[in-house]
Amino acid sequence: MRLDKYLKVSRLIKRRTVANEACDNGLVTVNDKPARASYEVKEGDKISLRFGARTITVEVVSVQETVRQSEAAAMYRQV
């Protein structure tokens, strides 16, 4: 699954266009490397998101095309 879609499906970022822009602006890294929106997310990847002064780092637990909002947090584990 593409990185921008994963960020939206997992509800880490609410809109796919915002996730795409974050990737283009270098605010998202995967395994400590800047990642483009087209990066293929795999289980075990570590994704870091910068929101202003805050940085969130998560590990991908599962990759699913669709999930319910209540189950979205189960797709990743905060590191």
Side-chain angles (χ1 to χ4, degrees), residues 46-72:
K46 292 196 185 325
I47 301 173
S48 295
L49 303 163
R50 282 189 299 157
F51 296 112
R54 229 173 44 158
T55 302
I56 297 173
T57 304
V58 297
E59 181 180 349
V60 178
V61 175
S62 69
V63 178
Q64 300 172 3
E65 290 293 322
T66 58
V67 292
R68 293 182 174 191
Q69 184 176 1
S70 59
E71 300 166 355

Side-chain angles (χ1 to χ4, degrees), residues 3-15 18-19 28 47-49 51 54 56-60 72-73 75-78:
L3 177 58
D4 58 343
K5 185 170 182 181
Y6 180 82
L7 293 173
K8 188 232 182 264
V9 170
S10 65
R11 312 264 192 319
L12 288 167
I13 296 180
K14 295 199 185 236
R15 300 192 193 288
V18 175
V28 181
I47 301 173
S48 295
L49 303 163
F51 296 112
R54 229 173 44 158
I56 297 173
T57 304
V58 297
E59 181 180 349
V60 178
M75 293 181 68
Y76 59 88
R77 177 176 2 145
Q78 197 140 4

